[in-house]
Amino acid sequence: MGIFGPSKEELAAKKAETDRLLADAQKVKVTTGDIKQDYEILKIVFQLGSDEGGALGKLFGTGGSPSAAFDAAEAQLKIEAHKLGCDYVINAVFNQRIAVGGAKTLTGGYNQVIEVFSYGTAVKIK
């Protein structure tokens, strides 16, 4: 641990682990409906994705992207299901809301953060 947070090596190791998890989790499919295969229900999975609009969004208060927040929430669902050994997340639901960031922007307001709450049923094909 560095004086002001994680060291470069620790950050690189964490990024490598996250990239590996994301690559492995791409095998998991997410659907908002059911599937026509026999499966075993393992667990309900719940995740949150958000986007603040990057550095410029935070600086000028332009807000985040709903698409980026959705992609983050979906990726997190896939990672959680993959950790459980699942093949699908079925009956997935995605709900969006707009929140307000904590620091003031250059324009004097607050940045809008897009949050997507997602949940579904993690299943394994029989």
Side-chain angles (χ1 to χ4, degrees), residues 42-68:
L42 294 184
K43 186 177 178 183
I44 303 297
V45 289
F46 171 84
Q47 291 297 324
L48 169 68
S50 64
D51 186 55
E52 296 180 350
L56 289 177
K58 291 178 190 176
L59 192 61
F60 295 108
T62 56
S65 161
S67 179

CSV table of all heavy atoms in Angstrom, one decimal, residues 42-68:
chain,number,residue,atom,x,y,z
A,42,LEU,N,-29.7,-21.2,-8.9
A,42,LEU,CA,-28.7,-21.2,-7.9
A,42,LEU,C,-28.9,-20.0,-6.9
A,42,LEU,O,-28.7,-20.1,-5.7
A,42,LEU,CB,-27.3,-21.1,-8.5
A,42,LEU,CG,-26.9,-22.4,-9.2
A,42,LEU,CD1,-25.4,-22.3,-9.7
A,42,LEU,CD2,-27.0,-23.6,-8.4
A,43,LYS,N,-29.2,-18.8,-7.5
A,43,LYS,CA,-29.2,-17.7,-6.6
A,43,LYS,C,-29.8,-16.5,-7.4
A,43,LYS,O,-29.6,-16.3,-8.5
A,43,LYS,CB,-27.8,-17.3,-6.1
A,43,LYS,CG,-27.8,-16.2,-5.1
A,43,LYS,CD,-26.3,-16.0,-4.6
A,43,LYS,CE,-26.3,-14.9,-3.6
A,43,LYS,NZ,-24.9,-14.6,-3.1
A,44,ILE,N,-30.4,-15.5,-6.6
A,44,ILE,CA,-30.7,-14.2,-7.2
A,44,ILE,C,-29.5,-13.4,-7.1
A,44,ILE,O,-28.8,-13.3,-6.0
A,44,ILE,CB,-31.9,-13.6,-6.4
A,44,ILE,CG1,-33.1,-14.5,-6.3
A,44,ILE,CG2,-32.2,-12.2,-6.9
A,44,ILE,CD1,-33.7,-14.8,-7.7
A,45,VAL,N,-29.1,-12.7,-8.2
A,45,VAL,CA,-28.0,-11.8,-8.2
A,45,VAL,C,-28.4,-10.4,-8.4
A,45,VAL,O,-29.4,-10.1,-9.1
A,45,VAL,CB,-26.9,-12.2,-9.3
A,45,VAL,CG1,-26.2,-13.5,-8.9
A,45,VAL,CG2,-27.6,-12.3,-10.6
A,46,PHE,N,-27.8,-9.5,-7.7
A,46,PHE,CA,-28.1,-8.1,-7.7
A,46,PHE,C,-26.8,-7.3,-7.9
A,46,PHE,O,-25.8,-7.5,-7.2
A,46,PHE,CB,-28.8,-7.7,-6.4
A,46,PHE,CG,-29.0,-6.2,-6.2
A,46,PHE,CD1,-30.1,-5.6,-6.8
A,46,PHE,CD2,-28.1,-5.4,-5.5
A,46,PHE,CE1,-30.3,-4.2,-6.6
A,46,PHE,CE2,-28.3,-4.1,-5.4
A,46,PHE,CZ,-29.4,-3.5,-5.9
A,47,GLN,N,-26.8,-6.3,-8.7
A,47,GLN,CA,-25.7,-5.4,-8.9
A,47,GLN,C,-26.1,-4.0,-9.3
A,47,GLN,O,-27.2,-3.7,-9.6
A,47,GLN,CB,-24.8,-6.0,-10.1
A,47,GLN,CG,-24.1,-7.3,-9.7
A,47,GLN,CD,-23.1,-7.1,-8.6
A,47,GLN,OE1,-22.4,-6.1,-8.4
A,47,GLN,NE2,-23.0,-8.2,-7.8
A,48,LEU,N,-25.1,-3.1,-9.2
A,48,LEU,CA,-25.3,-1.7,-9.5
A,48,LEU,C,-24.2,-1.2,-10.5
A,48,LEU,O,-23.0,-1.5,-10.2
A,48,LEU,CB,-25.2,-0.8,-8.2
A,48,LEU,CG,-25.1,0.7,-8.4
A,48,LEU,CD1,-26.4,1.2,-8.9
A,48,LEU,CD2,-24.7,1.3,-7.1
A,49,GLY,N,-24.6,-0.6,-11.5
A,49,GLY,CA,-23.7,0.0,-12.5
A,49,GLY,C,-24.0,1.5,-12.4
A,49,GLY,O,-25.1,2.0,-12.2
A,50,SER,N,-22.9,2.3,-12.6
A,50,SER,CA,-23.1,3.7,-12.7
A,50,SER,C,-22.1,4.4,-13.6
A,50,SER,O,-21.1,3.8,-14.0
A,50,SER,CB,-22.9,4.3,-11.3
A,50,SER,OG,-21.6,4.1,-10.8
A,51,ASP,N,-22.4,5.6,-14.0
A,51,ASP,CA,-21.5,6.4,-14.9
A,51,ASP,C,-21.6,7.8,-14.5
A,51,ASP,O,-22.7,8.4,-14.4
A,51,ASP,CB,-21.8,6.2,-16.4
A,51,ASP,CG,-20.8,6.9,-17.2
A,51,ASP,OD1,-19.6,6.6,-17.1
A,51,ASP,OD2,-21.2,7.7,-18.1
A,52,GLU,N,-20.5,8.5,-14.3
A,52,GLU,CA,-20.5,9.9,-13.9
A,52,GLU,C,-20.1,10.8,-15.1
A,52,GLU,O,-20.0,12.0,-15.0
A,52,GLU,CB,-19.5,10.1,-12.8
A,52,GLU,CG,-19.9,9.4,-11.5
A,52,GLU,CD,-18.8,9.6,-10.4
A,52,GLU,OE1,-17.7,10.2,-10.6
A,52,GLU,OE2,-19.2,9.3,-9.3
A,53,GLY,N,-19.8,10.2,-16.2
A,53,GLY,CA,-19.5,11.0,-17.4
A,53,GLY,C,-18.0,11.2,-17.5
A,53,GLY,O,-17.6,12.1,-18.3
A,54,GLY,N,-17.2,10.5,-16.8
A,54,GLY,CA,-15.7,10.6,-16.9
A,54,GLY,C,-15.2,11.9,-16.3
A,54,GLY,O,-16.0,12.6,-15.6
A,55,ALA,N,-14.0,12.3,-16.5
A,55,ALA,CA,-13.4,13.4,-15.9
A,55,ALA,C,-14.1,14.7,-16.4
A,55,ALA,O,-14.3,15.6,-15.6
A,55,ALA,CB,-11.9,13.5,-16.3
A,56,LEU,N,-14.4,14.8,-17.7
A,56,LEU,CA,-15.1,16.0,-18.1
A,56,LEU,C,-16.5,16.2,-17.5
A,56,LEU,O,-17.0,17.3,-17.2
A,56,LEU,CB,-15.2,16.1,-19.6
A,56,LEU,CG,-13.8,16.3,-20.3
A,56,LEU,CD1,-14.0,16.2,-21.9
A,56,LEU,CD2,-13.3,17.7,-19.9
A,57,GLY,N,-17.2,15.0,-17.4
A,57,GLY,CA,-18.5,15.1,-16.8
A,57,GLY,C,-18.5,15.6,-15.4
A,57,GLY,O,-19.3,16.4,-15.0
A,58,LYS,N,-17.5,15.1,-14.6
A,58,LYS,CA,-17.3,15.5,-13.2
A,58,LYS,C,-17.0,17.0,-13.2
A,58,LYS,O,-17.4,17.7,-12.3
A,58,LYS,CB,-16.3,14.7,-12.5
A,58,LYS,CG,-16.7,13.3,-12.3
A,58,LYS,CD,-15.5,12.5,-11.7
A,58,LYS,CE,-15.7,11.1,-11.6
A,58,LYS,NZ,-14.5,10.3,-11.1
A,59,LEU,N,-16.1,17.4,-14.1
A,59,LEU,CA,-15.6,18.8,-14.1
A,59,LEU,C,-16.7,19.8,-14.4
A,59,LEU,O,-16.9,20.8,-13.8
A,59,LEU,CB,-14.5,18.9,-15.0
A,59,LEU,CG,-13.6,20.2,-15.0
A,59,LEU,CD1,-13.0,20.3,-13.6
A,59,LEU,CD2,-12.5,20.2,-16.0
A,60,PHE,N,-17.5,19.5,-15.5
A,60,PHE,CA,-18.5,20.4,-16.0
A,60,PHE,C,-19.9,20.1,-15.7
A,60,PHE,O,-20.8,20.8,-16.0
A,60,PHE,CB,-18.3,20.6,-17.6
A,60,PHE,CG,-17.0,21.2,-18.0
A,60,PHE,CD1,-16.1,20.4,-18.6
A,60,PHE,CD2,-16.8,22.5,-17.8
A,60,PHE,CE1,-14.9,20.9,-19.0
A,60,PHE,CE2,-15.6,23.1,-18.2
A,60,PHE,CZ,-14.6,22.3,-18.8
A,61,GLY,N,-20.1,18.9,-15.1
A,61,GLY,CA,-21.5,18.6,-14.6
A,61,GLY,C,-22.4,18.1,-15.8
A,61,GLY,O,-23.6,18.3,-15.7
A,62,THR,N,-21.8,17.5,-16.8
A,62,THR,CA,-22.6,17.1,-18.0
A,62,THR,C,-23.3,15.8,-17.8
A,62,THR,O,-24.1,15.4,-18.6
A,62,THR,CB,-21.7,17.0,-19.2
A,62,THR,OG1,-20.6,16.1,-19.0
A,62,THR,CG2,-21.1,18.3,-19.6
A,63,GLY,N,-23.0,15.1,-16.7
A,63,GLY,CA,-23.7,13.9,-16.4
A,63,GLY,C,-23.1,12.6,-17.1
A,63,GLY,O,-22.3,12.7,-18.0
A,64,GLY,N,-23.6,11.5,-16.7
A,64,GLY,CA,-23.2,10.2,-17.2
A,64,GLY,C,-24.0,9.7,-18.3
A,64,GLY,O,-25.0,10.3,-18.7
A,65,SER,N,-23.6,8.6,-18.8
A,65,SER,CA,-24.3,7.9,-19.9
A,65,SER,C,-25.1,6.7,-19.5
A,65,SER,O,-24.6,5.8,-18.8
A,65,SER,CB,-23.2,7.4,-20.9
A,65,SER,OG,-23.7,6.4,-21.8
A,66,PRO,N,-26.4,6.7,-19.8
A,66,PRO,CA,-27.2,5.6,-19.4
A,66,PRO,C,-26.7,4.3,-20.0
A,66,PRO,O,-26.7,3.2,-19.4
A,66,PRO,CB,-28.6,5.9,-20.0
A,66,PRO,CG,-28.6,7.4,-20.1
A,66,PRO,CD,-27.2,7.8,-20.4
A,67,SER,N,-26.2,4.3,-21.2
A,67,SER,CA,-25.7,3.1,-21.9
A,67,SER,C,-24.5,2.6,-21.2
A,67,SER,O,-24.3,1.4,-20.9
A,67,SER,CB,-25.3,3.5,-23.3
A,67,SER,OG,-24.8,2.3,-24.0
A,68,ALA,N,-23.6,3.5,-20.7
A,68,ALA,CA,-22.4,3.0,-20.0
A,68,ALA,C,-22.8,2.4,-18.6
A,68,ALA,O,-22.2,1.4,-18.2
A,68,ALA,CB,-21.4,4.2,-19.8
